[in-house]
Amino acid sequence: MCGIIARVGDGDAIRKLVSGLENLEYRGYDSAGVAVQNGSGISVYKRSGQVSELKDALVGSVPNGKVGIGHTRWSTHGPPTDENAHPHTSQTDEVAVVHNGIIENYAELKATLSDAGHEFTSDTDTEVIPHLFEYYLEDADDIAEAFRKTVRDLEGSYAVAALVDDVHAIYAARQGSPLILGLDDDEYYLASDVPAFLDHTDDVVYLEDGDVVVVEPNGVTLTDLAGARIDRDVERVDWDPEEAGKGEYDHYMLKEIHTQPNALSNTIEGRIQGDEVHLESFPEGTFDDVEDVHLVACGTSYHAAMYCQQQLADAGIRAQAYRASEYVDANPGPVSGETLVVAVTQSGETADTLGALRQAKEAGAQVVTVTNVVGSTAARTADEALFIRAGPEIGVAATKTFSSQAVTLSLLAIRLAEDVPGASPPDDVATLLDDVYDLPEHVDNVLKTSDARAIAESYIDSQSYFFIGRGLNNAVAKEGALKFKEITYEHAEGFASGELKHGPLALVTPDTPVFTLFDGAGDGKTLKNAEEAQARGAPIVAVASEDHSGVDVADDHLAIPDTHPVWAGLLANVQLQLVSYHAAQLLGRPIDKPRNLAKSVTVE
């Protein structure tokens, strides 16, 4: 969940390292640091807090150096202090290291090194790496082999980048945590994610687990852990650098909410022909042998998986959405070649989802990943990848990627219904697919006319916030509550509307607004559930079309355009995103950097 940046080339490295850290701060912002090779030792600067505090510390004392590494941290071992910030150095400061992931055997390594006289100054698992590297350097003729020995001793997940005193090179490796090589004409980058160096180059090499790379001013050497040379393809990233910036918006989240029409257009483009879905990786007959579907995901992606599960069930396909963190222990039943496992992950690097994906492959299942990132671990590990095409998302709270995931999965559900024996697409599939073309325009309409800020102001002093919906809107209600709690820090819960009276109603008071989602399917029951809360004093906010009967009963209204019920929930979701954003803004929360959270969860 941390961010790594490293750079080798002509000219000064420090400004590009700090710029890279700013671009990666969505991956962690507990502390930040840089180390550069300046010809007379390794200079290390690090601070607890955000990258801006590191920049302040560098003013007036910018270290020179053409080779350097940097890190922005999300704490796992040890609190966010100056001592625990990366880079970490070895006993004699000969080595500096930045690391993402968790070293599971760090206690044993630390004990062995301590017995050998090494002293440690932090609470982190990372600090064993520079000490171990230095230990192997003592008798090494080959620095690269000493680094490979170091990496071979590590157990767990890691992306590591290291400097050695007076050596103009970076030594790096990955296992279970992302690491990407960026290639420019006269310089090289290593980073956890492409936005770190996208301002400089869009030519990349996606490193694989077990890869070890030595980056020098005159080139790159790539080997496996045994030292055998390997080759990886150079690929071009099709993201525009401007997509990764805030532009005219105050926050990344607000920008990403407002760019959903374009993201959805990209998601849909070329995937519908008449009343049929055509997905690039899945020709006719691909799913003829599928008997059941497991959807595995975490957080917002799990809610998109729930959205798909409902549609699969409606099509007569046996399907279940699982939280990836529990899939290994959930005993999902027999998994075989007739099981399709769909791993949903925005980043393609979510550790729990990758674990579920790998387990499914080992059991013989057909595995598809639905992701936003070409070249991600999930995309390369699955049998096939279906990309949501949403473009880079920097805000920690997912917005446009949920919408694009839900649409992509909805199209996949229709595609599955065309192949799976005994299944059938919706009776009104032609109307459904016609209406999806209007979805970007409808989202734009919501963005231009929303009363979300006024609603947020009306209920900003509430004690709790409830979100309820039925069917597809159950997933949207849960996603709306997640978004609200993520960035406002206020208590929010999402429920299937029929479950309100089976316990949660006990929590309802006049200070508990209930956001009630209507999509034209089962709305009579949902309205009755809302009225039960209203009878206990709770104000009702109807999220529905202008002429919906629920609007007359509700205390307030967030309008959505008329559309097919499958897409109505996604319009409601945009309204809830805006309510969450404006509430967080009114409360003065750090919207793009909510406490304790990071964008990409790469540790279990």
Side-chain angles (χ1 to χ4, degrees):
M1 286 178 281
C2 310
I4 285 175
I5 178 68
R7 184 263 186 188
V8 176
D10 292 332
D12 187 51
I14 195 70
R15 288 180 175 83
K16 291 182 177 179
L17 291 175
V18 172
S19 173
L21 291 180
E22 289 177 318
N23 292 338
L24 286 174
E25 200 168 13
Y26 60 93
R27 295 181 66 92
Y29 32 86
D30 288 342
S31 59
V34 293
V36 293
Q37 179 69 255
N38 62 15
S40 59
I42 297 174
S43 296
V44 177
Y45 291 77
K46 55 185 184 176
R47 291 289 185 276
S48 61
Q50 299 183 6
V51 175
S52 59
E53 295 175 61
L54 173 67
K55 287 181 70 174
D56 291 343
L58 288 169
V59 172
S61 59
V62 178
N64 295 319
K66 298 180 179 181
V67 180
I69 56 178
H71 189 268
T72 181
R73 182 173 184 245
W74 191 90
S75 304
T76 53
H77 289 79
T81 63
D82 288 356
E83 292 77 14
N84 289 335
H86 298 214
H88 288 287
T89 55
S90 60
Q91 182 78 6
T92 64
D93 295 333
E94 182 183 6
V95 173
V97 164
V98 291
H99 159 241
N100 292 350
I102 292 178
I103 305 304
E104 295 175 357
N105 63 333
Y106 85 97
E108 300 95 302
L109 293 172
K110 186 173 183 178
T112 300
L113 290 163
S114 295
D115 289 344
H118 288 251
E119 296 181 4
F120 293 82
T121 60
S122 80
D123 302 315
T124 71
D125 56 333
T126 300
E127 195 182 358
V128 300
I129 303 175
H131 284 263
L132 189 62
F133 191 8
E134 182 179 88
Y135 174 81
Y136 281 123
L137 282 172
E138 291 176 3
D139 300 315
D141 296 324
D142 182 357
I143 296 174
E145 178 56 23
F147 181 70
R148 285 192 291 268
K149 285 182 178 179
T150 300
V151 173
R152 288 197 293 264
D153 281 354
L154 304 179
E155 297 176 7
S157 65
Y158 54 78
V160 178
L163 296 178
V164 177
D165 186 20
D166 206 29
V167 180
H168 292 278
I170 294 169
Y171 301 85
R174 69 153 285 174
Q175 180 66 45
S177 288
L179 194 61
I180 303 163
L181 175 66
L183 310 172
D184 202 3
D185 292 336
D186 56 358
E187 60 187 351
Y188 302 94
Y189 294 88
L190 286 161
S192 305
D193 207 350
V194 170
F197 54 70
L198 194 56
D199 289 337
H200 308 294
T201 182
D202 55 6
D203 289 331
V204 304
V205 175
Y206 294 100
L207 301 182
E208 304 271 3
D209 284 352
D211 286 0
V212 179
V213 60
V214 180
V215 184
E216 300 173 282
N218 60 350
V220 174
T221 303
L222 190 59
T223 71
D224 62 18
L225 286 170
R229 291 288 189 100
I230 55 177
D231 293 316
R232 297 278 180 240
D233 292 337
V234 178
E235 301 183 36
R236 178 150 292 178
V237 177
D238 62 358
W239 289 352
D240 186 328
E242 291 187 6
E243 288 188 81
K246 282 190 292 191
E248 63 186 21
Y249 296 93
D250 292 335
H251 298 94
Y252 285 110
M253 182 182 180
L254 186 61
K255 176 190 175 182
E256 288 153 6
I257 291 172
H258 278 265
T259 55
Q260 283 178 106
N262 184 61
L264 289 168
S265 294
N266 292 336
T267 297
I268 297 163
E269 184 180 3
R271 288 175 164 171
I272 300 170
Q273 296 180 15
D275 60 355
E276 293 184 347
V277 172
H278 289 259
L279 300 178
E280 50 272 24
S281 300
F282 309 116
E284 184 178 353
T286 300
F287 304 115
D288 280 351
D289 296 330
V290 171
E291 294 182 357
D292 60 340
V293 178
H294 297 173
L295 299 118
V296 293
C298 299
T300 287
S301 296
Y302 174 71
H303 298 147
M306 288 179 61
Y307 206 82
C308 182
Q309 175 198 320
Q310 182 67 51
Q311 293 175 73
L312 291 170
D314 291 343
I317 299 171
R318 190 166 66 236
Q320 180 63 50
Y322 293 91
R323 290 179 173 85
S325 58
E326 298 184 358
Y327 185 71
V328 174
D329 302 318
N331 190 24
V335 176
S336 66
E338 288 71 48
T339 304
L340 174 67
V341 174
V342 181
V344 188
T345 161
Q346 183 280 135
S347 67
E349 304 293 348
T350 307
D352 291 314
T353 306
L354 289 173
L357 185 159
R358 290 172 178 134
Q359 174 181 297
K361 283 201 73 172
E362 290 172 3
Q366 181 180 355
V367 178
V368 170
T369 190
V370 174
T371 185
N372 195 34
V373 182
V374 176
S376 61
T377 301
R380 289 180 281 113
T381 303
D383 298 313
E384 295 289 349
L386 183 57
F387 297 104
I388 68 172
R389 305 172 179 171
E393 184 177 69
I394 306 302
V396 169
T399 52
K400 67 176 181 175
T401 55
F402 173 77
S403 299
S404 291
Q405 283 175 336
V407 170
T408 302
L409 287 164
S410 297
L411 297 179
L412 178 61
I414 296 170
R415 180 67 195 81
L416 279 161
E418 294 169 351
D419 279 359
V420 173
S424 57
D427 293 337
D428 59 350
V429 66
T431 301
L432 190 157
L433 293 177
D434 278 345
D435 285 357
V436 77
Y437 281 116
D438 295 329
L439 189 58
E441 182 181 348
H442 284 162
V443 170
D444 189 56
N445 177 269
V446 169
L447 294 168
K448 290 177 177 176
T449 62
S450 177
D451 292 325
R453 183 172 181 86
I455 295 293
E457 290 174 344
S458 296
Y459 298 107
I460 197 63
D461 294 324
S462 298
Q463 184 178 22
S464 295
Y465 301 80
F466 281 8
F467 299 77
I468 64 171
R470 185 176 297 269
L472 291 172
N473 271 339
N474 178 23
V476 178
K478 287 179 167 55
E479 172 61 15
L482 175 63
K483 214 55 50 196
F484 200 89
K485 69 181 74 173
E486 279 181 315
I487 63 169
T488 69
Y489 310 158
E490 298 298 309
H491 178 246
E493 297 294 341
F495 305 102
S497 57
E499 288 300 301
L500 196 62
K501 59 184 174 290
H502 294 287
L505 202 58
L507 301 174
V508 166
T509 72
D511 289 324
T512 311
V514 179
F515 290 81
T516 307
L517 313 182
F518 299 103
D519 61 8
D523 286 352
K525 293 180 180 179
T526 299
L527 180 57
K528 182 179 179 181
N529 300 139
E531 288 174 324
E532 290 171 339
Q534 194 177 49
R536 276 78 180 174
I540 303 303
V541 181
V543 188
S545 58
E546 291 283 2
D547 58 355
H548 195 281
S549 59
V551 175
D552 297 330
V553 175
D555 299 277
D556 281 295
H557 176 217
L558 289 166
I560 61 173
D562 283 314
T563 188
H564 193 284
V566 166
W567 311 126
L570 302 185
L571 299 174
N573 175 66
V574 175
Q575 288 283 25
L576 298 184
Q577 290 172 352
L578 290 168
V579 169
S580 297
Y581 173 82
H582 290 300
Q585 189 179 45
L586 290 166
L587 291 166
R589 308 302 193 212
I591 291 171
D592 286 331
K593 302 171 185 177
R595 67 186 180 199
N596 304 331
L597 301 178
K599 183 67 175 173
S600 181
V601 183
T602 57
V603 295
E604 294 180 310

